[in-house]
Amino acid sequence: MRKIVAGLFVSLDGVVESPEKWHFPYLNDEMARIVADQMREADTMLLGRRTYEEFAAYWPNPEPQAADLAGYMNGTPKHVVTTTLRTAGWQNSTIVRGDLPVALKELKERPGKDISITGSPTLVRSLLAGGLLDELRLLIHPIVVGRGAKLFADGEQVPLRLLGSRTLETGVIHATYGRA
């Protein structure tokens, strides 16, 4: 059975919002390989509405320096978890409707590789709380951003177990968690 895997950039103070403002000084070949590996291990994306809308506005016509990723982002099947969108115009996009646990179970039972979540912190929190997220892969950056949306706010306790970790040359910690 396929896994649902979330990969996020996060600061020491838990901020996931606008990583383009604080992440890039820590990006090196080592981190790029980690991100590329997660992309290679997945053949489907699962996105929350806000991240979907941001990606759908950018990836069809990205800046030249991002053109090498555009083929993957545009060509990969995308499933959007939303209660407000009625249509998904970005190529290879489908709205997830109905009972989310049932829909995700059906998606996981299809043949293929992992199902990857990028960004979408609201969706990640929801799936984690509902026991539907198989792995949480964090690239924890050694910076206190000071403000912005956090991955976790007040909420229910969710026990996890560390599946693996390593420290990158830049001081970023790559930590992978699974359900406890």
Side-chain angles (χ1 to χ4, degrees):
M1 184 177 288
R2 301 163 79 181
K3 295 185 298 187
I4 298 176
V5 177
L8 294 119
F9 299 136
V10 62
S11 68
L12 282 178
D13 55 342
V15 173
V16 292
E17 181 180 6
S18 301
E20 72 279 0
K21 295 179 181 175
W22 48 267
H23 154 74
F24 286 107
Y26 303 97
L27 178 61
N28 63 2
D29 290 342
E30 188 178 27
M31 185 187 295
R33 280 190 300 276
I34 291 168
V35 172
D37 287 347
Q38 183 166 333
M39 289 171 60
R40 257 191 308 281
E41 293 168 5
D43 63 3
T44 303
M45 284 191 265
L46 187 63
L47 300 167
R49 180 195 49 84
R50 282 187 291 251
T51 300
Y52 171 81
E53 289 178 332
E54 289 174 15
F55 284 8
Y58 178 79
W59 284 108
N61 299 298
E63 298 169 40
Q65 65 268 25
D68 57 331
L69 287 176
Y72 175 84
M73 297 300 289
N74 291 318
T76 301
K78 294 162 277 293
H79 298 268
V80 186
V81 177
T82 178
T83 58
T84 57
L85 288 180
R86 294 293 163 234
T87 61
W90 184 20
Q91 70 185 67
N92 299 313
S93 296
T94 305
I95 302 290
V96 177
R97 300 198 189 283
D99 187 334
L100 186 59
V102 170
L104 294 182
K105 182 178 184 292
E106 189 275 328
L107 187 60
K108 287 174 70 171
E109 289 175 347
R110 292 181 191 172
K113 299 178 181 180
D114 289 345
I115 301 160
S116 179
I117 302 173
T118 301
S120 305
T122 302
L123 176 60
V124 170
R125 282 191 298 272
S126 173
L127 296 181
L128 202 58
L132 300 170
L133 186 69
D134 297 297
E135 286 186 12
L136 177 61
R137 298 177 184 173
L138 301 177
L139 286 161
I140 306 163
H141 292 57
I143 184 172
V144 174
V145 174
R147 68 183 61 175
K150 296 189 177 351
L151 178 55
F152 300 110
D154 291 344
E156 294 186 31
Q157 191 176 74
V158 179
L160 301 171
R161 66 184 172 93
L162 183 65
L163 301 176
S165 67
R166 78 179 223 232
T167 304
L168 309 186
E169 294 170 1
T170 59
V172 170
I173 297 170
H174 179 222
T176 301
Y177 296 92
R179 291 180 283 179

